[in-house]
Amino acid sequence: GKGEKQLTPTLGTSADAQADTPTWSADGKRILYVKGASIYVMNANGSGRRLVLLKGGGEFASHPAWSPDGKRLTYQTNSSDFGDDDQVWQSKLDGSDAKRVADGGRDPVWSPDGNRIAFIDDGATCSRIRSANPDGTAPRTLFEPTGGCDAAPRDVDISPDGRRLVFTGSRGGNKSDVFIMRLSSKPKQLTKGGFEGDPVFSPDGRTVAFDSSGIETIPAGGGKARVLLDKNRVEGNPAWQPLGR
Protein backbone atom coordinates (compact mmCIF):
# COMPACT_ATOMS: atom_id res chain seq x y z
CA GLY A 1 0.00 0.00 0.00
CA LYS A 2 3.03 2.31 -0.01
CA GLY A 3 4.59 4.18 -2.90
CA GLU A 4 1.34 5.07 -4.64
CA LYS A 5 1.48 7.39 -7.62
CA GLN A 6 -1.54 8.91 -9.35
CA LEU A 7 -1.16 8.47 -13.11
CA THR A 8 -4.33 10.11 -14.47
CA PRO A 9 -5.67 13.54 -13.50
CA THR A 10 -8.71 13.95 -11.27
CA LEU A 11 -11.23 15.78 -13.42
CA GLY A 12 -14.37 15.37 -11.35
CA THR A 13 -16.63 12.76 -9.79
CA SER A 14 -18.75 11.80 -12.80
CA ALA A 15 -18.23 8.47 -14.60
CA ASP A 16 -16.96 10.32 -17.66
CA ALA A 17 -14.20 11.95 -15.60
CA GLN A 18 -12.94 8.80 -13.89
CA ALA A 19 -10.28 6.42 -15.19
CA ASP A 20 -10.64 2.72 -14.39
CA THR A 21 -9.92 -0.87 -15.47
CA PRO A 22 -6.15 -0.43 -15.96
CA THR A 23 -4.13 -3.22 -17.56
CA TRP A 24 -0.36 -3.43 -18.10
CA SER A 25 1.30 -4.35 -21.37
CA ALA A 26 3.51 -7.45 -21.16
CA ASP A 27 6.68 -5.36 -21.38
CA GLY A 28 5.54 -3.14 -18.49
CA LYS A 29 5.93 0.04 -20.51
CA ARG A 30 2.29 0.97 -21.21
CA ILE A 31 -1.11 0.87 -19.52
CA LEU A 32 -4.54 0.62 -21.15
CA TYR A 33 -7.45 2.14 -19.25
CA VAL A 34 -11.06 3.26 -19.67
CA LYS A 35 -12.34 6.80 -19.22
CA GLY A 36 -15.96 7.55 -19.94
CA ALA A 37 -17.06 5.44 -22.90
CA SER A 38 -13.64 5.09 -24.52
CA ILE A 39 -10.28 3.32 -24.14
CA TYR A 40 -6.97 5.14 -23.72
CA VAL A 41 -3.30 4.19 -23.41
CA MET A 42 -0.45 5.88 -21.53
CA ASN A 43 3.15 5.24 -20.62
CA ALA A 44 3.81 3.54 -17.30
CA ASN A 45 4.78 6.89 -15.71
CA GLY A 46 1.49 8.51 -16.75
CA SER A 47 2.88 10.45 -19.71
CA GLY A 48 1.86 10.18 -23.36
CA ARG A 49 -1.85 9.67 -22.75
CA ARG A 50 -3.75 9.15 -26.01
CA LEU A 51 -7.07 7.86 -27.25
CA VAL A 52 -7.12 4.30 -28.57
CA LEU A 53 -10.79 3.57 -29.18
CA LEU A 54 -13.44 6.29 -29.29
CA LYS A 55 -17.00 5.42 -28.33
CA GLY A 56 -19.97 7.56 -27.45
CA GLY A 57 -23.47 8.37 -28.59
CA GLY A 58 -24.82 5.70 -26.27
CA GLU A 59 -22.13 3.10 -27.03
CA PHE A 60 -19.48 2.11 -24.48
CA ALA A 61 -16.14 0.31 -24.63
CA SER A 62 -14.71 -1.25 -21.47
CA HIS A 63 -12.53 -3.99 -19.96
CA PRO A 64 -9.55 -3.72 -22.34
CA ALA A 65 -6.85 -6.40 -22.28
CA TRP A 66 -3.54 -6.57 -24.15
CA SER A 67 -2.56 -9.41 -26.44
CA PRO A 68 0.66 -11.07 -25.21
CA ASP A 69 2.69 -9.56 -28.06
CA GLY A 70 1.34 -6.06 -27.30
CA LYS A 71 0.10 -5.52 -30.86
CA ARG A 72 -3.66 -5.90 -30.29
CA LEU A 73 -6.29 -5.48 -27.60
CA THR A 74 -9.56 -7.16 -26.76
CA TYR A 75 -12.45 -5.31 -25.17
CA GLN A 76 -16.15 -5.33 -24.39
CA THR A 77 -18.78 -3.09 -25.99
CA ASN A 78 -22.40 -2.38 -25.12
CA SER A 79 -24.96 0.38 -25.38
CA SER A 80 -26.39 0.19 -21.86
CA ASP A 81 -25.58 -0.74 -18.26
CA PHE A 82 -27.95 -3.70 -18.39
CA GLY A 83 -25.65 -6.04 -20.31
CA ASP A 84 -28.27 -7.20 -22.81
CA ASP A 85 -26.16 -6.37 -25.87
CA ASP A 86 -22.61 -7.08 -24.71
CA GLN A 87 -20.08 -8.04 -27.36
CA VAL A 88 -16.40 -8.99 -27.27
CA TRP A 89 -14.11 -7.50 -29.93
CA GLN A 90 -10.41 -7.40 -30.68
CA SER A 91 -8.48 -4.95 -32.81
CA LYS A 92 -5.15 -3.27 -33.45
CA LEU A 93 -4.11 -0.65 -30.91
CA ASP A 94 -5.43 2.15 -33.12
CA GLY A 95 -8.87 0.50 -33.24
CA SER A 96 -8.48 -0.67 -36.84
CA ASP A 97 -8.89 -4.23 -38.13
CA ALA A 98 -11.62 -4.84 -35.52
CA LYS A 99 -13.00 -8.37 -35.34
CA ARG A 100 -16.01 -9.50 -33.34
CA VAL A 101 -15.14 -12.42 -31.08
CA ALA A 102 -18.50 -13.10 -29.42
CA ASP A 103 -22.03 -11.84 -28.96
CA GLY A 104 -23.33 -11.85 -25.40
CA GLY A 105 -19.77 -11.80 -24.04
CA ARG A 106 -17.97 -9.54 -21.56
CA ASP A 107 -14.81 -9.23 -19.42
CA PRO A 108 -12.45 -10.65 -22.08
CA VAL A 109 -8.84 -11.71 -21.48
CA TRP A 110 -6.19 -13.18 -23.79
CA SER A 111 -4.65 -16.57 -23.13
CA PRO A 112 -0.89 -16.37 -22.41
CA ASP A 113 -0.03 -17.86 -25.83
CA GLY A 114 -2.32 -15.38 -27.63
CA ASN A 115 -4.26 -18.15 -29.38
CA ARG A 116 -7.54 -17.81 -27.44
CA ILE A 117 -9.68 -15.15 -25.79
CA ALA A 118 -11.64 -16.13 -22.68
CA PHE A 119 -14.75 -14.22 -21.64
CA ILE A 120 -17.93 -14.36 -19.58
CA ASP A 121 -20.91 -15.49 -21.64
CA ASP A 122 -24.41 -14.49 -20.51
CA GLY A 123 -26.25 -16.43 -23.21
CA ALA A 124 -27.12 -19.35 -20.95
CA THR A 125 -29.49 -19.44 -17.97
CA CYS A 126 -26.50 -18.65 -15.76
CA SER A 127 -23.32 -16.95 -16.81
CA ARG A 128 -20.44 -19.21 -17.84
CA ILE A 129 -16.83 -18.96 -18.95
CA ARG A 130 -16.14 -19.54 -22.64
CA SER A 131 -13.22 -19.05 -24.98
CA ALA A 132 -12.79 -18.63 -28.73
CA ASN A 133 -10.10 -18.05 -31.30
CA PRO A 134 -9.33 -14.34 -31.80
CA ASP A 135 -11.41 -14.39 -35.00
CA GLY A 136 -14.42 -15.76 -33.08
CA THR A 137 -14.20 -19.32 -34.40
CA ALA A 138 -14.12 -22.56 -32.39
CA PRO A 139 -15.92 -21.33 -29.26
CA ARG A 140 -16.05 -23.72 -26.32
CA THR A 141 -17.17 -23.68 -22.70
CA LEU A 142 -14.50 -23.74 -20.00
CA PHE A 143 -16.81 -23.64 -16.98
CA GLU A 144 -20.57 -23.67 -16.50
CA PRO A 145 -22.31 -23.87 -13.10
CA THR A 146 -24.43 -26.94 -12.43
CA GLY A 147 -27.32 -27.37 -10.03
CA GLY A 148 -28.33 -23.72 -9.99
CA CYS A 149 -26.36 -20.53 -10.40
CA ASP A 150 -24.06 -20.75 -7.36
CA ALA A 151 -20.57 -19.62 -8.41
CA ALA A 152 -22.00 -18.13 -11.62
CA PRO A 153 -18.85 -16.40 -12.91
CA ARG A 154 -17.77 -12.90 -13.85
CA ASP A 155 -14.40 -11.08 -13.95
CA VAL A 156 -12.33 -13.99 -15.28
CA ASP A 157 -8.53 -14.15 -15.52
CA ILE A 158 -6.16 -16.85 -16.83
CA SER A 159 -3.00 -17.93 -15.01
CA PRO A 160 0.35 -17.23 -16.69
CA ASP A 161 0.78 -20.95 -17.47
CA GLY A 162 -2.70 -21.10 -19.03
CA ARG A 163 -3.81 -23.98 -16.81
CA ARG A 164 -6.02 -22.21 -14.24
CA LEU A 165 -8.87 -19.75 -14.14
CA VAL A 166 -9.73 -17.30 -11.38
CA PHE A 167 -13.09 -15.55 -11.32
CA THR A 168 -15.69 -13.84 -9.21
CA GLY A 169 -18.56 -16.19 -8.41
CA SER A 170 -22.00 -15.29 -7.11
CA ARG A 171 -22.91 -16.90 -3.79
CA GLY A 172 -26.55 -16.20 -3.16
CA GLY A 173 -28.21 -12.80 -3.00
CA ASN A 174 -25.76 -10.03 -3.77
CA LYS A 175 -22.76 -11.83 -2.28
CA SER A 176 -19.73 -12.74 -4.37
CA ASP A 177 -16.37 -14.37 -3.70
CA VAL A 178 -13.22 -15.32 -5.59
CA PHE A 179 -12.98 -18.85 -6.99
CA ILE A 180 -10.06 -20.65 -8.64
CA MET A 181 -10.02 -23.78 -10.76
CA ARG A 182 -7.86 -25.88 -13.02
CA LEU A 183 -9.31 -26.44 -16.47
CA SER A 184 -11.72 -29.41 -16.51
CA SER A 185 -11.96 -29.43 -12.70
CA LYS A 186 -14.31 -28.02 -10.08
CA PRO A 187 -13.79 -24.48 -8.73
CA LYS A 188 -12.40 -23.88 -5.27
CA GLN A 189 -13.56 -20.92 -3.20
CA LEU A 190 -10.63 -18.68 -2.22
CA THR A 191 -12.36 -15.90 -0.28
CA LYS A 192 -15.32 -15.84 2.10
CA GLY A 193 -15.92 -12.14 2.64
CA GLY A 194 -18.96 -12.06 0.39
CA PHE A 195 -18.15 -8.84 -1.44
CA GLU A 196 -15.05 -9.58 -3.53
CA GLY A 197 -14.43 -9.15 -7.26
CA ASP A 198 -12.02 -8.36 -10.11
CA PRO A 199 -9.47 -11.12 -9.33
CA VAL A 200 -6.17 -11.20 -11.27
CA PHE A 201 -3.21 -13.56 -11.13
CA SER A 202 0.24 -12.25 -10.25
CA PRO A 203 2.84 -12.59 -13.03
CA ASP A 204 4.27 -15.73 -11.37
CA GLY A 205 0.80 -17.23 -10.83
CA ARG A 206 1.31 -17.70 -7.10
CA THR A 207 -0.93 -14.90 -5.82
CA VAL A 208 -4.33 -13.43 -6.69
CA ALA A 209 -5.16 -9.76 -6.16
CA PHE A 210 -8.80 -8.78 -5.82
CA ASP A 211 -11.15 -5.91 -5.00
CA SER A 212 -12.86 -5.92 -1.62
CA SER A 213 -13.79 -2.23 -1.46
CA GLY A 214 -10.03 -1.97 -0.96
CA ILE A 215 -7.35 -4.13 -2.58
CA GLU A 216 -6.27 -7.47 -1.09
CA THR A 217 -4.10 -10.41 -2.15
CA ILE A 218 -4.38 -14.11 -1.32
CA PRO A 219 -2.19 -17.12 -2.19
CA ALA A 220 -3.52 -18.91 -5.28
CA GLY A 221 -3.42 -22.16 -3.31
CA GLY A 222 -5.57 -20.69 -0.55
CA GLY A 223 -4.71 -19.09 2.77
CA LYS A 224 -4.99 -15.77 4.57
CA ALA A 225 -5.73 -12.62 2.60
CA ARG A 226 -3.47 -9.60 2.97
CA VAL A 227 -4.78 -6.03 2.79
CA LEU A 228 -2.83 -3.74 0.45
CA LEU A 229 -5.22 -0.79 0.35
CA ASP A 230 -7.74 -0.57 3.16
CA LYS A 231 -11.50 -0.79 2.84
CA ASN A 232 -12.06 2.81 3.92
CA ARG A 233 -11.04 3.82 0.39
CA VAL A 234 -12.87 3.25 -2.87
CA GLU A 235 -10.54 1.15 -5.00
CA GLY A 236 -11.04 -1.53 -7.64
CA ASN A 237 -9.77 -3.31 -10.73
CA PRO A 238 -6.25 -4.20 -9.49
CA ALA A 239 -3.55 -4.90 -12.10
CA TRP A 240 -0.08 -6.39 -11.60
CA GLN A 241 3.03 -4.84 -13.07
CA PRO A 242 4.93 -7.49 -15.11
CA LEU A 243 7.86 -9.19 -13.39
CA GLY A 244 11.21 -7.45 -13.64
CA ARG A 245 9.72 -4.06 -14.58
Side-chain angles (χ1 to χ4, degrees), residues 133-153:
N133 293 334
D135 63 0
T137 61
R140 66 185 180 95
T141 299
L142 302 179
F143 169 68
E144 185 167 12
T146 58
C149 290
D150 282 347

Side-chain angles (χ1 to χ4, degrees), residues 24-129:
W24 289 87
S25 60
D27 62 9
K29 295 181 179 180
R30 294 172 294 172
I31 298 173
L32 285 168
Y33 65 98
V34 173
K35 185 169 75 73
S38 300
I39 297 173
Y40 294 77
V41 68
M42 63 183 169
N43 296 326
N45 63 3
S47 67
R49 291 186 296 270
R50 66 177 178 86
L51 180 69
V52 171
L53 187 68
L54 177 64
K55 293 292 181 181
E59 188 175 12
F60 299 84
S62 61
H63 294 87
W66 294 91
S67 62
D69 63 8
K71 295 180 179 180
R72 303 184 71 88
L73 72 153
T74 183
Y75 52 92
Q76 168 188 335
T77 66
N78 58 48
S79 59
S80 72
D81 292 330
F82 300 105
D84 54 359
D85 62 348
D86 291 331
Q87 293 182 331
V88 172
W89 291 77
Q90 59 97 356
S91 71
K92 293 182 179 179
L93 288 181
D94 61 2
S96 66
D97 193 31
K99 302 181 187 301
R100 186 169 58 194
V101 179
D103 289 321
R106 53 187 172 86
D107 303 332
V109 60
W110 291 86
S111 63
D113 60 11
N115 292 330
R116 303 283 289 180
I117 294 175
F119 54 91
I120 302 298
D121 173 63
D122 285 330
T125 303
C126 300
S127 62
R128 54 187 177 175
I129 302 173

Side-chain angles (χ1 to χ4, degrees), residues 21 63-65 74 76 88 105-111 117-121 127-131 142-143 152-159 164-169 177-181 183 197-201 208-209 237-238:
T21 327
H63 294 87
T74 183
Q76 168 188 335
V88 172
R106 53 187 172 86
D107 303 332
V109 60
W110 291 86
S111 63
I117 294 175
F119 54 91
I120 302 298
D121 173 63
S127 62
R128 54 187 177 175
I129 302 173
R130 305 201 81 197
S131 71
L142 302 179
F143 169 68
R154 56 184 173 86
D155 308 325
V156 65
D157 192 31
I158 305 174
S159 64
R164 294 169 295 165
L165 302 173
V166 66
F167 60 91
T168 305
D177 282 292
V178 175
F179 291 77
I180 192 170
M181 62 176 287
L183 296 178
D198 302 317
V200 285
F201 280 104
V208 174
N237 303 116

